[in-house]
């Protein structure tokens, strides 16, 4: 068994005068730059404890960073603990589970698990995202319809916490029913980052997995995948054709998102972009080793295009699965000057005609021509919905799609223009429920891994925590009161203490 990097050295402290500082306070979204007193780079659990203790002595608010992909400016505090040096992925024979340090990126995790044992986690498509925050909110990806969320395979966590007496300690919490810390484990299965402590390590083993062969303890991805990219030209796509395309995509997911669907291995993402982009694009992946993969992909593309009566262009290629995790068409652009604003919604049913009309209006505005904007309809359902809403902190267990509205740009002077477009578009999409995806028979709130500060004071006056956590919020509050009673770890969207 490979051991963790538990060296007893000191954290590396980086202050504003240090040439490394700027790189350590800026993440993927250039709209946000943190302004801490200092950053501490840690490479072991011992160093995390030391960094937290030092911050407590100066009564500094702590923020924790792994991959730096937070959508909002939540990773800010007087002290930032940067756990990105903690990247080890190894098999822990004693726990019969795979240990993953919280600073590892998804690319690190996929490479290590697949090359070492032929297994994986059903996580996201962006390889530079850190597992630290990704797993805390739930974690979905191209294999989730077939294998569930990342948290559905979580066995244990190691987390540094601070009690009411300002004592710092390390706790390991597991999913075992008799674990006295099981409430802390549960809160980390979708409760979001920055709420209870600093997670330093995860252990993963699929529920029901038996034996001691590591290759049998996590999902095995297909050796090869078939990837399709279909494009429709906006110049050939009038309002009626656009409406039919969106309705077809939604109808397919309504019919193929049951837990036992035969199309669990088919994941798709329809991406209508503004006119300036020139096209509406659909990326799809299916298990190429399935004997009917090509036929089912043909049927899917035909179903989405039925009655659209507009020519489309399709490109297909077959890739090795691991190679596909580095490039698969689903990754958004990453540039060193990228600024963005995103809003999401969980969908229980497809779109109404009023919503489709709102989409068409905003996407075809002649005064908003940003090719870096898009509204993505993302496949959900399948095994994601095999888990009860209260079994994990992630409560959205009957969605068929995730809607992800985003605008990306590079110039700070354009912030207001793009923010206004995203906010107006989102409001009009959900105008029937006050501008937010309220909990009802069609929509099911939002997703905490894509935090949106606008939801704190939304026009519908729906509590933001209802949109993210639904009925699980009171339990999360009780866990916060037990494990983070002083609010040492926190941000604008933190779980609040119970009244």
């Amino acid at each position: 068994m490979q051991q963790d990097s538990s060296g007893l050295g000191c954290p590396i402290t980086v202050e504003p005068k240090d040439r490394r500082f700027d790189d350590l306070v800026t993440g993927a979204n250039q709209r946000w730059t943190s302004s801490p007193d200092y950053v501490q780079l840690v490479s072991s659990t011992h160093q995390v404890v030391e960094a937290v203790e030092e911050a407590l002595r100066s009564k500094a608010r702590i923020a924790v960073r792994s991959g730096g992909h937070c959508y909002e400016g939540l990773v800010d505090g007087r002290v930032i603990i940067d756990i990105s040096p903690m990247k080890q992925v190894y098999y822990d024979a004693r726990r019969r589970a795979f240990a993953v340090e919280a600073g590892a990126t998804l690319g690190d995790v996929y490479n290590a698990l697949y090359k070492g044992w032929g297994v994986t986690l059903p996580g996201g498509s962006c390889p530079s995202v850190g597992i630290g925050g990704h797993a805390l909110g739930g974690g979905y990806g191209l294999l989730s319809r077939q294998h569930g969320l990342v948290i559905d395979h979580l066995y244990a966590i190691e987390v540094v916490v601070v009690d009411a007496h300002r004592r710092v300690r390390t706790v390991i919490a597991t999913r075992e029913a008799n674990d006295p810390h099981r409430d802390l484990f549960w809160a980390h299965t979708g409760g979001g980052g920055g709420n209870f402590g600093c997670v330093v390590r995860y252990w993963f083993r699929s529920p029901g997995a038996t034996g001691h062969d590591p290759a049998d303890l996590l999902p095995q991805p297909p050796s090869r995948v078939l990837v399709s990219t279909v494009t429709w030209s906006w110049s050939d796509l009038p309002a009626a054709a656009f409406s039919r395309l969106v309705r077809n995509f939604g109808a397919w997911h309504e019919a193929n998102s049951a837990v036992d669907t035969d199309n669990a291995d088919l994941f798709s993402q329809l991406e209508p972009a503004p006119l300036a982009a020139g096209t509406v694009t659909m990326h799809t992946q299916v298990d190429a080793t399935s004997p009917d993969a090509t036929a089912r992909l043909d049927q899917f593309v035909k179903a989405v295009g039925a009655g659209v009566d507009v020519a489309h262009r399709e490109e297909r290629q077959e890739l090795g699965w691991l190679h596909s995790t580095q490039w698969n068409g689903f990754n958004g652009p990453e540039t060193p000057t990228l600024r963005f604003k995103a809003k999401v919604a969980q969908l229980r049913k497809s779109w109404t005609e009023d919503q489709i009309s709102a989409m068409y209006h905003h996407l075809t505005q002649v005064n908003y021509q940003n090719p870096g904007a898009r509204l993505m309809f993302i496949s959900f359902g399948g095994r994601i919905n095999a888990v009860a809403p209260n079994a994990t902190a992630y409560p959205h267990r009957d969605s068929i799609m995730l809607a992800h509205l985003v605008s990306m740009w590079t110039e700070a002077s354009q912030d207001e223009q793009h923010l206004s477009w995203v906010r107006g578009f989102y409001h009009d999409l959900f105008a029937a429920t006050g501008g937010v995806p309220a909990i009802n028979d069609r929509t099911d709130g939002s997703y905490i891994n894509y935090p949106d500060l606008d939801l704190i004071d939304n026009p519908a006056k729906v509590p933001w925590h209802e949109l993210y956590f639904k009925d699980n919020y009171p339990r999360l509050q009780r866990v916060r009161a037990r494990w983070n009673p002083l609010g040492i770890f926190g941000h604008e969207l933190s779980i609040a203490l119970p009244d």
Side-chain angles (χ1 to χ4, degrees):
M1 180 181 78
Q2 182 179 353
Q3 300 297 320
D4 71 282
S5 52
S6 56
L8 302 182
C10 296
I12 297 172
T13 301
V14 180
E15 298 178 329
K17 62 184 178 182
D18 192 301
R19 71 179 67 187
R20 297 167 291 181
F21 186 79
D22 287 349
D23 278 326
L24 299 179
V25 298
T26 305
N29 191 347
Q30 299 293 296
R31 288 178 57 217
W32 309 108
T33 299
S34 301
S35 54
D37 294 345
Y38 60 90
V39 177
Q40 291 211 310
L41 290 159
V42 294
S43 57
S44 68
T45 300
H46 171 82
Q47 290 184 14
V48 173
V49 170
E50 185 176 324
V52 172
E53 289 175 338
E54 182 176 338
L56 286 176
R57 286 192 289 270
S58 61
K59 298 181 179 180
R61 178 183 163 192
I62 299 170
V64 182
R65 171 174 166 166
S66 55
H69 278 255
C70 187
Y71 274 34
E72 299 277 14
L74 304 184
V75 185
D76 197 7
R78 283 185 54 203
V79 175
I80 292 179
I81 298 176
D82 189 323
I83 60 173
S84 60
M86 300 182 66
K87 293 180 176 294
Q88 286 202 80
V89 179
Y90 57 94
Y91 179 62
D92 184 340
R94 183 166 63 90
R95 287 193 170 86
R96 204 166 57 85
F98 292 94
V100 178
E101 290 185 332
T105 66
L106 295 182
D108 296 330
V109 174
Y110 299 154
N111 271 281
L113 291 179
Y114 193 65
K115 290 179 179 177
W117 300 276
V119 298
T120 193
L121 291 171
S125 62
C126 183
S128 61
V129 165
I131 189 72
H134 185 66
L136 290 177
Y140 77 89
L142 279 67
L143 299 179
S144 289
R145 281 169 50 84
Q146 194 170 14
H147 298 293
L149 302 174
V150 169
I151 55 169
D152 296 335
H153 302 272
L154 184 62
Y155 174 73
I157 57 165
E158 181 180 19
V159 56
V160 175
V161 297
V162 181
D163 68 18
H165 303 286
R166 303 180 72 83
R167 293 178 299 212
V168 183
R169 63 188 177 116
T170 302
V171 177
I172 294 177
T174 75
R175 69 177 180 224
E176 299 294 345
N178 61 352
D179 190 326
H181 304 143
R182 197 178 188 283
D183 64 332
L184 184 63
F185 168 85
W186 176 87
H188 285 84
T189 60
N195 281 306
F196 311 104
C198 177
V199 176
V200 293
R201 195 179 332 272
Y202 299 96
W203 283 269
F204 293 99
R205 186 204 323 142
S206 298
T210 60
H212 294 271
D213 185 346
D216 295 331
L217 302 181
L218 280 179
Q220 297 178 355
S223 59
R224 300 191 67 78
V225 293
L226 183 59
V227 179
S228 161
T229 299
V230 179
T231 54
W232 293 265
S233 174
W234 265 120
S235 61
D236 299 329
L237 205 62
F242 175 81
S243 175
R244 184 63 183 264
L245 184 65
V246 172
R247 285 187 286 117
N248 286 347
F249 189 85
W252 188 92
H253 282 82
E254 286 184 346
N256 289 274
S257 291
V259 171
D260 58 352
T261 176
D262 292 335
N263 282 305
D265 64 327
L266 192 152
F267 177 97
S268 190
Q269 193 165 290
L270 182 65
E271 301 181 4
L275 280 175
T279 60
V280 173
T281 304
M282 182 174 71
H283 299 290
T284 307
Q285 176 178 295
V286 65
D287 178 356
T289 67
S290 172
D292 60 348
T294 299
R296 287 189 294 114
L297 181 56
D298 288 342
Q299 292 168 3
F300 173 72
V301 173
K302 183 178 179 180
V304 174
V308 175
D309 296 329
V310 170
H312 68 267
R313 180 168 170 259
E314 182 179 11
E315 296 179 359
R316 292 186 183 183
Q317 58 183 316
E318 190 174 310
L319 302 170
W321 174 80
L322 187 60
H323 179 62
S324 78
T325 65
Q326 307 303 312
W327 181 93
N328 50 30
F330 294 89
N331 299 334
E334 284 200 57
T335 68
T337 58
L338 191 66
R339 308 170 74 83
F340 62 88
K341 174 65 178 179
K343 292 175 169 292
V344 301
Q346 301 271 357
L347 303 181
R348 286 171 156 162
K349 292 182 181 178
S350 188
W351 304 99
T352 66
E353 282 299 326
D354 285 344
Q355 288 176 312
I356 296 173
S357 294
M359 292 176 203
Y360 189 80
H361 167 72
H362 286 278
L363 291 169
T364 59
Q365 285 181 358
V366 295
N367 61 345
Y368 188 78
Q369 294 297 298
N370 177 18
R374 64 204 63 224
L375 173 60
M376 295 177 280
F377 314 142
I378 302 168
S379 293
F380 254 57
R383 298 303 300 177
I384 297 174
N385 296 346
V387 178
N390 62 355
T392 60
Y394 175 91
H396 313 285
R397 295 294 187 167
D398 60 358
S399 298
I400 63 167
M401 289 187 293
L402 184 77
H404 186 289
L405 174 65
V406 63
S407 184
M408 297 170 281
W409 65 98
T410 58
E411 299 296 330
S413 62
Q414 299 175 355
D415 282 3
E416 188 52 42
Q417 173 194 5
H418 298 293
L419 290 171
S420 177
W421 182 82
V422 171
R423 287 167 175 159
F425 194 158
Y426 191 76
H427 180 274
D428 290 352
L429 269 181
F430 303 106
T433 49
V436 298
I439 312 301
N440 58 34
D441 65 331
R442 305 199 69 90
T443 53
D444 196 40
S446 192
Y447 176 41
I448 192 59
N449 268 4
Y450 299 142
D452 179 6
L453 291 177
D454 294 347
L455 294 180
I456 294 176
D457 186 21
N458 64 77
K461 304 302 179 184
V462 177
W464 65 266
H465 53 77
E466 179 179 319
L467 296 170
Y468 286 124
F469 304 115
K470 299 170 60 176
D471 294 339
N472 288 340
Y473 190 64
R475 183 177 177 185
L476 286 167
Q477 289 183 287
R478 294 192 294 272
V479 177
R480 151 70 197 274
R482 177 183 178 188
W483 294 101
N484 184 23
L486 302 179
I488 300 300
F489 303 92
H491 49 72
E492 291 92 330
L493 287 172
S494 287
I495 307 299
L497 287 170
D499 296 331

